[in-house]
Amino acid sequence: MIARIYQPARNAMTSGQAKTKNWVLEFGPSEAKEVDPLMGWTGSGDTQTQVKMRFASKQAALDYAKENGIEAQVVDPNKRKPNIRSGGYGENFATNRRGPWTH
């Protein structure tokens, strides 16, 4: 069973960085999913794919995988520079705004 170690990306709907500092060890599927003939739901007997473990560092995740004999693949993140505006969200409603209001 192969596990993936990665650092999650930020939510695309926000500019916040919550839940992006830790590293995650996530197991891949070990068997194919099956379709239930009666209800049409998909499922499998593999419960390891439901497990997500969080670690403070990449090295801690690699050490855990090595201690427990888990084959792990590391996916390094693509870092972006943070988008921080000087006025923040309140800048949209400033009384001294010089540009035209567009919406």
Side-chain angles (χ1 to χ4, degrees):
M1 176 180 326
I2 296 177
R4 184 171 66 124
I5 298 173
Y6 65 95
Q7 194 172 20
R10 71 172 182 81
N11 185 342
M13 301 302 290
T14 67
S15 60
Q17 300 293 319
K19 299 182 183 179
T20 61
K21 305 292 184 217
N22 292 337
W23 287 79
V24 176
L25 184 139
E26 183 177 62
F27 291 97
S30 63
E31 64 182 50
K33 293 189 177 193
E34 301 171 352
V35 178
D36 181 70
L38 178 63
M39 298 298 289
W41 297 339
T42 56
S44 72
D46 181 22
T47 58
Q48 285 293 87
T49 56
Q50 300 172 11
V51 176
K52 274 189 182 179
M53 299 166 61
R54 294 185 181 358
F55 295 92
S57 67
K58 178 169 66 169
Q59 190 58 44
L62 286 170
D63 291 342
Y64 178 83
K66 185 176 180 182
E67 287 173 10
N68 293 296
I70 300 168
E71 184 181 346
Q73 173 187 7
V74 178
V75 179
D76 289 320
N78 295 328
K79 291 290 186 183
R80 292 177 44 176
K81 86 175 185 181
N83 180 16
I84 300 174
R85 299 183 308 174
S86 60
Y89 179 72
E91 180 184 334
N92 294 335
F93 306 101
T95 57
N96 61 355
R97 186 181 178 111
R98 296 210 172 146
W101 190 261
T102 59
H103 55 283

